[in-house]
Each structure stands twice: as structure tokens, then as C-alpha cells.
Amino acid sequence: MSALVEAATVVCLREGASTGTWEVLLGQSEVKNWLRSTPEATVLMRYPGEWKFPGGSHDSGDVTLQHTAMRELREEFLGLDPPPLSKLHWVSTRTTLPIQGKRFQMHNFVALAMENAWLMDDELDVRVNRRLEDKRRSFAAALEDRSFWDMAVAAKEVLSPEVRTVQWFPIDSAIELMTPGLMQHVNAFQASEFASYGITSRDPMYQSMKTLAHLSTLSWQDIVQLDTKHQPTSKV
């Protein structure tokens, strides 16, 4: 029987300037999991090269699931430093398929730009991508001189690239990226990496797609109402 792991994500939403429909901030996962790989063996990311929400497993130091979501946001989308009192709304809880003996119970929280000034910055994605590029540059230097492989795990965690880039997408476009069978690759980066590592098929973010499909039908008032009625227990 697979273990159930509690986890949380942040779905960052803003209204499109020209369309008035939702736009969502996604990060593209790296393909190779450098933290778990060795010089002799390559380990892939759980969803290699896919566009995804920032999120991850609940840690013992996280007081609430909201804390988990915001910690993961800061760790993955470098350069974002939301204030502690950022407003989050629970929108759904979905369970992933088991893999390697684990299933993730994903608690999805929405951060609305209209309630969180840090999401209103027009240069937000540019700033985050600049920080991600700086991290890749530092990582590449450590890989080239092979010092990376001798680092302690904690140091590797800091240096290992996890997110390639971030981008705002119209919500319908994001849903298409996550829908199984619609496209062979999400972009040229994923196609190139798949060719390099001999990966023959994608693993789209199906549960995230379902969350976005639901959100695409909701107004901000609906999201707030969902949170009020159905928010899960804060502590795990």
C-alpha cells in the first residue's frame, strides 16, 4: 500500500490586462534531478520539463499547509519574497497516482493578485528568471570543476536547479499544456532534454490541469466563497 504524503501548492492568479480572464504563474521543471543523481546515474524529476505550480511536501517545521505552500513558493520561484501575511485561499485537495510507493495529497491554495501586491509587479517574472539564471550559472561552475559531487546534501539542495523558468500563461493555455495527449512536448527545452536523456513520453500535470479547469469557471468572489466553506484543517 502506498504512503500518503501531505503537500501544498500555490496557484498565483491575476486578471489579464487585455482579456480580463485569469492568468496563472507557472514554473517549468528541470528534467534531471541533480540532487538525487550521481556522476554515474541520472535520476529524473517527477514531472520532467513540465509546467507546474510551486509546491511540495509538508515539512515538520511547517506550522500549517499554508506555510508549506509559501515556503515552496520562495524556494522554487527565487526572488519572490511574499510577506508572512500574504492572503491565500484553499481551492481544492487532490491526490496523485502512486509512484515509488508514495501518493501526494495536494492541497491547492490560490494567491490572488488583487489581494497580494507582490503579484502585481509587472517585472515579477523577469526578476525571478534572472535569479534562476544566476543559480544555473553557479551550479554549472560547480559541475564543471566537479566540486558539486563532493558537497554535503544541504549545500547541494541550495545549488541544484529545480525550476528552469517561470511564465504567466492565460489559464486556457496552461490547461492545454497540462492536458494529456495534446502535445508531444511543451517547448523546445523539454524536447531537447528528452532527446538527451532518452525520454519517450511526457507525464503531464493532470491533477493540476483539473484544478485550473475548475478555477477557469470561477470569479474571485467564488474563490473566496470556496475557501470560506471548505478550507481544510490548517495543521497536518
Side-chain angles (χ1 to χ4, degrees):
M1 185 174 180
S2 56
L4 187 63
V5 179
E6 299 290 342
T9 72
V10 183
V11 186
C12 298
L13 293 180
R14 70 180 185 185
E15 287 189 336
S18 59
T19 64
T21 57
W22 291 125
E23 293 181 346
V24 57
L25 184 65
L26 300 177
Q28 186 175 20
S29 173
E30 292 283 353
V31 171
K32 183 169 180 174
N33 187 327
W34 289 97
L35 181 62
R36 296 186 178 181
S37 295
T38 68
E40 296 77 26
T42 291
V43 177
L44 300 178
M45 288 291 195
R46 172 66 179 87
Y47 297 100
E50 297 296 331
W51 290 97
K52 62 189 187 70
F53 310 139
S57 302
H58 175 83
D59 284 351
S60 58
D62 298 330
V63 179
T64 66
L65 289 166
Q66 292 92 329
H67 280 95
T68 300
M70 295 305 288
R71 174 180 54 75
E72 291 286 343
L73 175 69
R74 293 184 181 94
E75 290 176 0
E76 295 182 19
F77 288 9
L78 300 180
L80 281 187
D81 190 20
L85 296 180
S86 295
K87 185 70 173 177
L88 296 182
H89 300 285
W90 174 87
V91 69
S92 67
T93 297
R94 301 182 183 277
T95 304
T96 65
L97 293 173
I99 184 170
Q100 297 179 345
K102 290 182 181 179
R103 292 176 300 139
F104 289 90
Q105 184 159 271
M106 303 299 301
H107 302 275
N108 301 301
F109 295 90
V110 170
L112 297 170
M114 64 182 64
E115 296 179 324
N116 295 283
W118 51 274
L119 279 174
M120 298 293 287
D121 180 4
D122 290 338
E123 296 294 312
L124 178 151
D125 51 343
V126 175
R127 187 172 68 254
V128 173
N129 284 327
R130 189 179 298 123
R131 289 285 300 275
L132 291 173
E133 185 177 355
D134 289 343
K135 181 176 182 177
R136 285 198 303 275
R137 192 178 296 113
S138 298
F139 167 74
L143 199 63
E144 184 176 5
D145 66 17
R146 302 190 65 82
S147 61
F148 175 77
W149 302 114
D150 297 324
M151 291 179 180
V153 173
K156 285 184 177 180
E157 286 179 344
V158 173
L159 201 57
S160 297
E162 182 177 359
V163 174
R164 181 75 180 181
T165 187
V166 303
Q167 184 176 331
W168 287 103
F169 288 94
I171 197 166
D172 288 345
S173 297
I175 291 169
E176 289 181 1
L177 287 170
M178 297 176 179
T179 301
L182 281 189
M183 55 188 71
Q184 185 176 8
H185 302 106
V186 298
N187 58 16
F189 166 72
Q190 189 186 53
S192 175
E193 291 287 283
F194 274 29
S196 295
Y197 295 112
I199 305 170
T200 57
S201 62
R202 291 177 55 205
D203 187 7
M205 308 290 293
Y206 180 68
Q207 295 297 343
S208 297
M209 181 271 290
K210 291 174 67 175
T211 295
L212 287 182
H214 183 207
L215 284 169
S216 70
T217 68
L218 303 180
S219 66
W220 70 266
Q221 294 97 330
D222 296 328
I223 292 171
V224 172
Q225 190 70 11
L226 266 179
D227 184 25
T228 302
K229 289 183 177 181
H230 302 292
Q231 186 166 339
T233 303
S234 292
K235 291 189 177 181
V236 175

